[in-house]
Amino acid sequence: MAQVTLNKVVKKFDQTEAVRGIDLDIADQEFVVLVGPSGCGKSTTLRMIAGLEETTAGEIMIGGQIVNDLPPKDRDIAMVFQNYALYPHMTVFENMSFGLRLKKFPKAEIKQRVERAARILDITELLERRPRQLSGGQRQRVAMGRAIVRNPKVFLFDEPLSNLDAKLRVQMRTEIKKVHQQVRTTTVYVTHDQVEAMTLADRVVVMNGGRIEQIGTPHELYHAPKTRFVAGFIGSPTMNFIPCRLVEVTGALGVQLAEGLTLPVPSERDPAYRPYAGRALVLGIRPEHITETRAYAAGAEFAMSVDVVEPMGMETIVYFMVDGTEVCARVTPEAALAPGKRMRFLADMRHMHLIDPQSERVIDVPGATRVHGTARVPAA
Amino acid sequence: MNAAAELPQRRLFGGSLRRNRRWALAASYFFLVLFAIFFLIPPYYQLVTATKSSAEISNQTTDPWLPSFAPTSENIEELWNKTDFPIYLRNTALVTLCVVAITMTIAVPAAFSLGRMKFWGSGILATGVFLTYLVPDSLLFLPLFKIVGSLGLLNSYWALVLVYPTLTVPFCTWIMIGYFQSIPKELDEAALIDGASHLQMLSKIFIPVALPGLIAATIFAFTVCWAAFVYPMAFIFSSDQQVLTAGTITTLVKGDVYQWGMIMTAALIGAAPPLVVYAFLMDYYIAGLTSGATKG
């Protein structure tokens, strides 16, 4: 059990900078997920923590000790790889106990530790098998078992679920969460899948281009993204970004999306947005906050002609165009109209974001992480 | 209507596929039989001749292709009891064993370091290793003669133990580099995190995982040593140091007298050990040479 601290960590490969000076504090027992598109430096960061890559500059501390110059085996970490990296010629038991055997642990203790890990992961009956006799999910369990038996200070996961099919991935995701709740080892987990990041993490670190875009709880990232990148990366379907102008209409602010289409800004956001009045900005609003009109819910109503309709079962995704920009809305299946029909929508502007197109930053609104009742819940 | 129109067409298509396959099979069998005959004629001829007496071999009235009408074991008895053939066999076995051991001891760690431990110049070095293999032994024996002579090893089979690795090490290293590179790099990283040193990584992970490649390389080294001809011919003069290949020729060909019966017998016996080795390790050999071609 230990904290992990990254202090201005830089990694250069020849001339290209993969990681450009990141600071990160991970608390003891915390589950932190590094997420971002491929090439954002998340895996490199993890590999530097593991000691598989040298750091070009900066400091990495595990449990208060600077580990920059320590080889992986002396860092007291365990890693789970995307392709499992099980030793093909060893049985599951031998795979899990390899590290302990190298460290010359007594046989009885090795057996006890392996059996305990096998029980946690429900692979007791597989201990005598070899990796090629196991399914993908079972192999991933063994890889986790190999990490657990070492009882390390930190678990490192490098996209462990990417090789599994969609159904198994969801199942193993739950499994990993369960294991963490049981063993409470500090965990750093890398993935490009934002759903994995949101569901597993205590805190998510969104990376892009070798930098940290934002660190926060899943809730914070979803409701109060700090940059356009984070806003677009978290959530599916992705947030709508509509070019707009912040205008003042009879004393109150509104976002003008097109000629004759201006949506009012909630009054509590007025102080934060007032300095930007008159400027060209980008409105960010999630598809789930544009719905069909509902009698009980407040919001800005407007009508648009439907472009594309995608039924998903429990809901229907409806696309329409606003002045050349495609906008996505999530409506109940019964409410969706056929393409070409004019439909009335309701935008829950309490969840709006305004983005400065120059800096690509979301204009800060104090208290924006507060949970609002969504438009689907009748207002009290 | 539609289905009816489709049906005959599909049948036609299926028929042409079947016909196509039949042709391919017939052609395959034709060439396989052709090659089998081509490659089996020499051993057949050896066997037939080895069981004939000198009188029968030199008899112009009998067909040399037909088996003997009175098979004899006189060739093998004479070869075994009246020539130095057993010594050659023993020397060959000894030299081969030593060279295979030396080769693997050098090639495996060399391949591991060149293939897995990226260091400055490792790529060029790996190519260089392969290039040395391309120099033919018929050129190399001249300078090697000087070296062997200056070491005082002329006319000793230890000279062969020294020079054969120049043939085997480069190729075996090359095979093993390819094999080691086909092992996913996460495997060494996992071992590194598990606390293995590079030596433990090699002995506990790489060698067991690369066993088919290792066996392929061993078979190759074995075959090269067993069949080498130029070096023993050049470096060894006396019978007690001679090996099978050169020894058979120098003993059984005297001037223009060829003792065909014994030559054929010696060739058959000499070919047996590689045959046995191949037969037992064939599957590994093929797996070793074709690994990395496909995933998993």
Side-chain angles (χ1 to χ4, degrees):
Chain A
M1 307 277 166
Q3 299 128 281
V4 177
T5 306
L6 274 64
N7 201 351
K8 301 201 172 31
V9 170
V10 175
K11 176 67 188 179
K12 276 188 197 163
F13 292 105
D14 295 326
Q15 290 312 307
T16 48
E17 239 180 338
V19 176
R20 302 161 182 246
I22 60 171
D23 295 305
L24 181 59
D25 276 307
I26 299 167
D28 187 21
Q29 305 195 357
E30 195 177 16
F31 197 122
V32 164
V33 176
L34 307 183
V35 68
S38 48
C40 71
K42 57 190 191 296
S43 272
T44 309
T45 305
L46 189 80
R47 291 170 59 80
M48 283 193 286
I49 298 173
L52 296 171
E53 302 281 356
E54 282 179 30
T55 45
T56 310
E59 259 171 18
I60 295 175
M61 291 196 273
I62 297 175
Q65 185 195 7
I66 296 176
V67 296
N68 283 37
D69 297 323
L70 285 184
K73 66 181 165 98
D74 297 332
R75 295 191 179 196
D76 205 359
I77 44 130
M79 187 153 166
V80 177
F81 295 87
Q82 180 179 349
N83 65 359
Y84 325 128
L86 300 179
Y87 311 123
H89 59 296
M90 295 185 195
T91 63
V92 169
F93 183 91
E94 288 165 340
N95 260 288
M96 286 167 68
S97 61
F98 185 64
L100 300 179
R101 282 185 285 141
L102 285 178
K103 290 205 176 92
K104 305 248 186 296
F105 271 65
K107 274 208 171 108
E109 186 175 355
I110 292 177
K111 192 164 182 304
Q112 181 217 328
R113 282 206 194 187
V114 171
E115 279 169 0
R116 174 176 163 266
R119 263 199 313 279
I120 292 175
L121 294 161
D122 200 15
I123 50 173
T124 307
E125 67 283 9
L126 304 178
L127 285 176
E128 292 313 312
R129 298 222 199 140
R130 280 178 208 283
R132 67 169 171 278
Q133 298 164 303
L134 304 177
S135 68
Q138 288 171 331
R139 287 180 200 185
Q140 197 50 274
R141 274 169 217 260
V142 176
M144 279 165 62
R146 191 167 60 180
I148 293 172
V149 294
R150 301 259 316 277
N151 200 10
K153 283 186 191 153
V154 185
F155 279 152
L156 304 173
F157 288 88
D158 191 4
E159 307 222 13
L161 305 183
S162 304
N163 278 10
L164 303 177
D165 62 59
K167 203 169 163 190
L168 204 52
R169 203 177 305 160
V170 175
Q171 207 181 322
M172 283 302 293
R173 202 169 70 199
T174 322
E175 201 82 11
I176 289 175
K177 194 154 193 172
K178 237 190 261 172
V179 168
H180 181 252
Q181 281 162 1
Q182 239 173 308
V183 298
R184 305 293 327 165
T185 305
T186 312
T187 301
V188 186
Y189 185 109
V190 161
T191 179
H192 61 264
D193 181 349
Q194 49 105 3
V195 179
E196 243 169 65
M198 299 289 277
T199 49
L200 283 172
D202 293 327
R203 277 193 307 157
V204 179
V205 178
V206 183
M207 293 186 66
N208 184 31
R211 289 207 174 82
I212 292 177
E213 289 271 338
Q214 189 172 352
I215 304 174
T217 62
H219 186 80
E220 281 166 358
L221 292 182
Y222 183 83
H223 290 285
K226 286 208 162 65
T227 64
R228 178 176 176 152
F229 178 83
V230 175
F233 193 80
I234 302 291
S236 174
T238 55
M239 186 185 280
N240 295 299
F241 295 110
I242 313 161
C244 67
R245 184 167 289 282
L246 192 61
V247 293
E248 200 177 335
V249 186
T250 59
L253 287 176
V255 279
Q256 185 181 27
L257 303 180
E259 277 304 311
L261 177 57
T262 302
L263 304 178
V265 170
S267 57
E268 70 267 20
R269 293 193 174 224
D270 198 290
Y273 290 160
R274 183 63 67 174
Y276 295 87
R279 289 201 24 203
L281 300 167
V282 174
L283 169 70
I285 184 161
R286 295 194 185 277
E288 47 271 45
H289 299 135
I290 305 176
T291 59
E292 73 279 9
T293 54
R294 291 158 187 186
Y296 50 78
E301 287 191 24
F302 58 96
M304 281 286 152
S305 83
V306 174
D307 225 14
V308 179
V309 179
E310 290 177 348
M312 307 287 284
M314 62 176 280
E315 65 187 11
T316 295
I317 310 283
V318 173
Y319 294 91
F320 56 88
M321 299 294 277
V322 173
D323 204 16
T325 307
E326 189 171 66
V327 177
C328 173
R330 290 167 80 159
V331 306
T332 53
E334 302 77 41
L337 297 183
K341 289 266 170 55
R342 210 165 164 77
M343 179 173 169
R344 285 196 69 76
F345 293 95
L346 176 80
D348 186 347
M349 297 301 279
R350 291 171 306 173
H351 295 280
M352 69 174 284
H353 303 281
L354 279 179
I355 298 152
D356 182 342
Q358 263 89 49
S359 67
E360 298 263 295
R361 293 192 70 78
V362 176
I363 296 168
D364 200 31
V365 180
T369 52
R370 226 176 45 232
V371 194
H372 296 287
T374 63
R376 294 174 188 221
V377 182
Chain B
M1 172 70 202
N2 220 348
E6 245 172 50
L7 203 62
Q9 210 177 358
R10 200 185 306 144
R11 207 175 276 154
L12 193 75
F13 182 65
S16 88
L17 244 185
R18 262 203 303 280
R19 206 164 39 241
N20 206 334
R21 188 179 145 75
R22 234 188 351 257
W23 269 109
L25 271 180
S28 314
Y29 275 118
F30 175 75
F31 284 108
L32 280 174
V33 169
L34 204 68
F35 278 116
I37 292 172
F38 184 76
F39 285 112
L40 286 177
I41 280 177
Y44 167 77
Y45 197 77
Q46 280 179 346
L47 188 69
V48 167
T49 314
T51 56
K52 289 177 180 174
S53 64
S54 301
E56 195 183 345
I57 293 169
S58 50
N59 187 347
Q60 297 289 322
T61 59
T62 54
D63 190 335
W65 288 102
L66 293 180
S68 169
F69 50 81
T72 169
S73 60
E74 74 176 46
N75 287 322
I76 188 159
E77 279 163 20
E78 201 181 333
L79 187 72
W80 201 260
N81 297 321
K82 295 189 182 151
T83 68
D84 288 332
F85 187 76
I87 297 176
Y88 304 157
L89 201 61
R90 195 205 63 194
N91 289 351
T92 302
L94 190 75
V95 169
T96 303
L97 217 67
C98 289
V99 174
V100 167
I102 292 173
T103 303
M104 297 325 280
T105 317
I106 299 175
V108 170
F112 180 69
S113 49
L114 286 173
R116 295 309 283 220
M117 303 166 67
K118 290 286 165 224
F119 53 89
W120 190 85
S122 60
I124 297 168
L125 220 56
T127 316
V129 165
F130 188 63
L131 288 181
T132 60
Y133 171 69
L134 298 181
V135 183
D137 51 358
S138 46
L139 277 179
L140 219 52
F141 85 94
L142 291 167
L144 279 176
F145 192 88
K146 277 282 206 195
I147 296 171
V148 168
S150 67
L151 290 172
L153 286 175
L154 275 181
N155 198 25
S156 157
Y157 54 68
W158 292 111
L160 303 181
V161 175
L162 184 72
V163 297
Y164 281 174
T166 60
L167 300 172
T168 53
V169 168
F171 191 74
C172 291
T173 307
W174 191 254
I175 293 184
M176 293 311 295
I177 287 177
Y179 212 89
F180 284 154
Q181 277 175 345
S182 74
I183 297 173
K185 90 175 185 317
E186 283 85 354
L187 223 55
D188 8 342
E189 292 177 347
L192 215 59
I193 288 174
D194 267 339
S197 65
H198 277 99
L199 206 63
Q200 286 171 321
M201 206 192 287
L202 177 64
S203 63
K204 293 194 174 2
I205 310 287
F206 273 78
I207 290 180
V209 172
L211 202 61
L214 212 75
I215 289 173
T218 309
I219 292 180
F220 172 82
F222 176 87
T223 314
V224 166
C225 299
W226 195 268
F229 184 73
V230 176
Y231 289 161
M233 205 67 183
F235 302 149
I236 314 282
F237 327 124
S238 50
S239 267
D240 66 320
Q241 299 290 320
Q242 196 51 282
V243 292
L244 255 180
T245 45
T248 304
I249 300 301
T250 52
T251 314
L252 302 176
V253 182
K254 296 284 186 212
D256 58 353
V257 179
Y258 289 75
Q259 293 173 292
W260 282 120
M262 277 201 281
I263 292 177
M264 293 303 185
T265 311
L268 272 183
I269 296 174
L275 203 70
V276 172
V277 169
Y278 270 88
F280 276 108
L281 302 175
M282 193 52 141
D283 290 343
Y284 280 111
Y285 190 61
I286 291 171
L289 286 186
T290 56
S291 75
T294 53
K295 195 168 175 269

